[in-house]
Amino acid sequence: MKPPCEIVVWYVIPAIRSELAKELLNLGMKQKEVSEIMDITQPAVSQYITDKRGSGIKLEDNVRNMIKEFAFKLYQNEATKADLISTTCKICGHVELPDILDQLNIDKSELGEDCQSCMARG
């Protein structure tokens, strides 16, 4: 059984990055520009936009809207690469972990009491 924090690293953050890369491309940025602003390689961008990475879960509309707004700010130079970590963390905080566990067919009752703190949000 993977703890929720590991699920965030393996599924949630890649899903956020995938959506962000797609939004930046939709706004007209090139893959190389997206890789530079997201501080990842161009092949990683390619994998995100072709759903080879970050496609294991579906993010809720409110989370996708936050990503879209952030992408627009990056595109308009109202946000910078320095904002990437804090904004990703903020967006991640709005992801309903019980919903993600349901999508991954993980029974949250199997988690130990020490591992319930992440679950308090959702």
Side-chain angles (χ1 to χ4, degrees):
M1 167 68 62
K2 292 180 182 172
C5 50
E6 188 173 341
I7 291 166
V8 168
V9 170
W10 282 96
Y11 295 96
V12 177
I13 293 173
I16 291 170
R17 286 182 173 175
S18 177
E19 288 292 322
L20 182 59
K22 290 173 185 174
E23 286 298 331
L24 291 169
L25 286 168
N26 286 340
L27 290 168
M29 294 181 85
K30 305 283 187 220
Q31 284 189 26
K32 182 68 176 161
E33 294 171 307
V34 172
S35 73
E36 289 169 1
I37 202 158
M38 291 181 65
D39 202 23
I40 57 177
T41 65
Q42 186 278 324
V45 172
S46 178
Q47 289 180 340
Y48 283 131
I49 64 173
T50 59
D51 293 331
K52 292 179 182 171
R53 277 192 198 185
S55 64
I57 59 169
K58 182 184 181 314
L59 298 172
E60 294 293 323
D61 289 342
N62 68 317
V63 173
R64 290 182 33 227
N65 286 335
M66 292 176 74
I67 295 167
K68 192 173 195 169
E69 289 172 15
F70 182 53
F72 188 73
K73 287 181 180 179
L74 287 168
Y75 181 74
Q76 293 293 319
N77 293 316
E78 295 171 13
T80 67
K81 183 193 300 192
D83 298 315
L84 196 61
I85 293 173
S86 62
T87 304
T88 299
C89 288
K90 179 182 172 187
I91 293 167
C92 188
H94 285 83
V95 172
E96 298 290 338
L97 288 175
D99 177 54
I100 300 304
L101 294 177
D102 287 344
Q103 288 183 50
L104 297 171
N105 296 316
I106 296 172
D107 182 0
K108 69 179 180 179
S109 68
E110 294 178 17
L111 300 174
E113 287 300 315
D114 292 340
C115 205
Q116 294 293 326
S117 62
C118 292
M119 305 306 294
R121 296 183 306 176

